[in-house]
Structure formats: structure tokens, C-alpha cells
Amino acid sequence: MLRKIATPVLAVLIFLGLWEMLVWANGWPNYKMASPSDLPPAFWKYKELFLVMGWQTLWRTVVGLFLAVVVGTLIGMIIGFSKLARDALYPLLVGFNAIPKATLVPVISLIFIGQHDFNTILMAFMISFFPIAVSVGIGLSTLEPEYRDILRALGASRFTIFRKIALPKTLPEFFGALKVSATLAFIGTNLVEIVSPHGRGLGALFKSGETNGDYPLMFAVLIALAFLGIVLYYAVIFLERVFAGWADREGR
């Protein structure tokens, strides 16, 4: 247990040390490249803004990710159980996912003028549901047909087949995709926060630092976003161990 905590902490400290050395060796001023030693004063100076805007970013991201889980799972079930739906929906899903989401921010902002919370949640959802839908769809479509045939012969309903066979088989792929989606959701949230003229959250705080040439603030925001992403990632790992711990072979 101690090793699992110490290893990533040590890696972070090494990264920060190399970052500090890079800035020091090149003699960069903080208006060109902030160093880790420049960040604590920025965090302290804007501590109230970091708390308020960090919470705004986090709750919108979590809501968008939750919607991505619900919708992505439903789409995955549809394309997993139906070859016709899979052939029809896959090109649409792939095409939509290939669109740079930054280009959709002004479109969404024009359609839903003034609805900043809704726009932010919507973007977090749109950028994060695809991995979940694909992973669930692949997990269900590759289900061994003999298991389904046996259960159907015993009179099992489609829901029973899903609960007894499909769901346990899909959980490892689902949580693997959820880890990816958790970080993608933060990207969607911050796209809207940065681009929107009435943005709130850490993205807006980053934009404020850029406008005022406050590079320590900008890098402090990036570190705060990384921290929130790590927290959400490990929350997913916790859920994975609760619901699919049997599939974790790490440390065995």
C-alpha cells in the first residue's frame, strides 16, 4: 500500500524538480515560463477564486461525465445487441467523434445563448461519451454465443442474459473507457470556460491570467486542473475495485 502511494508521489516530485531545473538552466523569467516555485504564491493570492472556480469546473465535469455514462451505455447496449444498429450507428459515432470539439463551442453558445452551465455540461458530455459507447458495444457484441444460447434454452429473458453474462463481461472494458472519459470530460468543460465570453470555472481563470500576462496564475490553473483530473481518475479506480475488483489482476 505504501509503495502504491510513494511511487506516484515520487514521480510527481521528480517531474517538478526537472521542471524547476529547466526554467533555472535557461534563465527564463516567470512571464515567459513559470517554474514550480512560482506557483505557491499564485495559489495563495487567488485561493478563494481557485476554490470557487475549481468547484464550478468539477461539478459540471462530473455531471457531464454522468450523462456520458448513461447515454454511452445505452448506445453501447443498442449497438452491442443489434448488428443492424451497429452498422447504422458506428459511422455516425465515428464521424461525430472526429469533429474537433473546439469548433462546436461557438455553435453551442449561439444555440443556447446565456446557458453557460448547460453549454459546459453538454460539451463535457459530447467529448466523453464515445469511448464508453464503443467499449460497451464491443464488449456485448463479442459475447460468446453459446452462453446466450444456453440461457435462452433455459427460458432466460434478454435482461437476465444481460445481467448474468453480458454485464460482468463488459465491466472491465467499461471502466477502462470511463478512465479515459473522465479526463476527456475536463477538456470539454474547459473548452467552454475558456472560449465563452461569460465563462466561469478554472478555464475562465486561466483566460484571465492570459489576458493580464499572469503566467504563474496560468500554470497554477493547469496544475489545479491536473489535480482534479487525477482525483476523478482515482475515483473511477475506486468504483472499478468495488464493482469489478474480480477482474483486477494487479498485484496477484
Side-chain angles (χ1 to χ4, degrees):
M1 182 65 180
L2 182 61
R3 182 182 64 82
K4 288 185 177 182
I5 298 175
T7 300
V9 170
L10 180 60
V12 170
L13 292 176
I14 291 174
F15 168 76
L16 293 176
L18 292 174
W19 178 3
E20 186 77 31
M21 288 176 59
L22 178 65
V23 175
W24 174 80
N26 287 278
W28 289 330
N30 63 10
Y31 59 80
K32 184 175 183 179
M33 178 69 172
S35 65
S37 58
D38 295 320
L39 304 187
F43 278 119
W44 180 254
K45 181 179 179 180
Y46 301 102
K47 56 183 181 297
E48 293 183 2
L49 288 177
F50 271 104
L51 290 174
V52 173
M53 294 190 171
W55 167 247
Q56 290 174 343
T57 295
L58 181 61
W59 80 259
R60 295 190 196 106
T61 302
V62 171
V63 172
L65 181 62
F66 174 78
L67 293 176
V69 169
V70 174
V71 177
T73 301
L74 290 175
I75 295 175
M77 291 174 63
I78 292 171
I79 63 179
F81 282 126
S82 171
K83 187 177 186 304
L84 178 62
R86 185 160 61 249
D87 294 339
L89 292 178
Y90 254 128
L92 296 175
L93 291 173
V94 173
F96 177 79
N97 192 59
I99 298 174
K101 299 305 180 287
T103 62
L104 297 178
V105 174
V107 177
I108 293 174
S109 299
L110 285 174
I111 296 175
F112 305 105
I113 297 176
Q115 303 296 319
H116 179 71
D117 288 342
F118 178 79
N119 295 345
T120 308
I121 292 170
L122 180 61
M123 181 57 66
F125 157 75
M126 289 196 301
I127 206 171
S128 59
F129 84 95
F130 180 78
I132 297 173
V134 171
S135 68
V136 173
I138 292 176
L140 294 178
S141 64
T142 56
L143 182 65
E144 290 81 355
E146 55 268 23
Y147 292 154
R148 280 186 288 192
D149 293 341
I150 292 174
L151 287 175
R152 282 174 180 170
L154 295 174
S157 65
R158 186 178 291 269
F159 176 75
T160 301
I161 295 174
F162 173 76
R163 184 169 58 88
K164 295 290 187 179
I165 302 296
L167 181 60
K169 181 183 183 301
T170 307
L171 279 178
E173 289 88 351
F174 168 78
F175 279 107
L178 187 57
K179 293 173 188 175
V180 176
S181 295
T183 53
L184 289 177
F186 273 106
I187 296 175
T189 302
N190 280 274
L191 277 175
V192 178
E193 291 177 348
I194 291 173
V195 175
S196 174
H198 305 292
R200 297 187 299 274
L202 290 178
L205 190 58
F206 178 88
K207 187 67 177 178
S208 174
E210 180 187 21
T211 302
N212 296 299
D214 192 341
Y215 280 71
L217 173 59
M218 293 170 63
F219 279 90
V221 170
L222 295 179
I223 295 300
L225 286 171
F227 173 76
L228 291 179
I230 292 171
V231 169
L232 194 55
Y233 178 85
Y234 277 100
V236 173
I237 289 180
F238 172 77
L239 293 175
E240 180 182 26
R241 290 177 177 171
V242 171
F243 294 104
W246 51 267
D248 183 13
R249 296 179 174 83
E250 185 177 324
R252 293 185 183 177

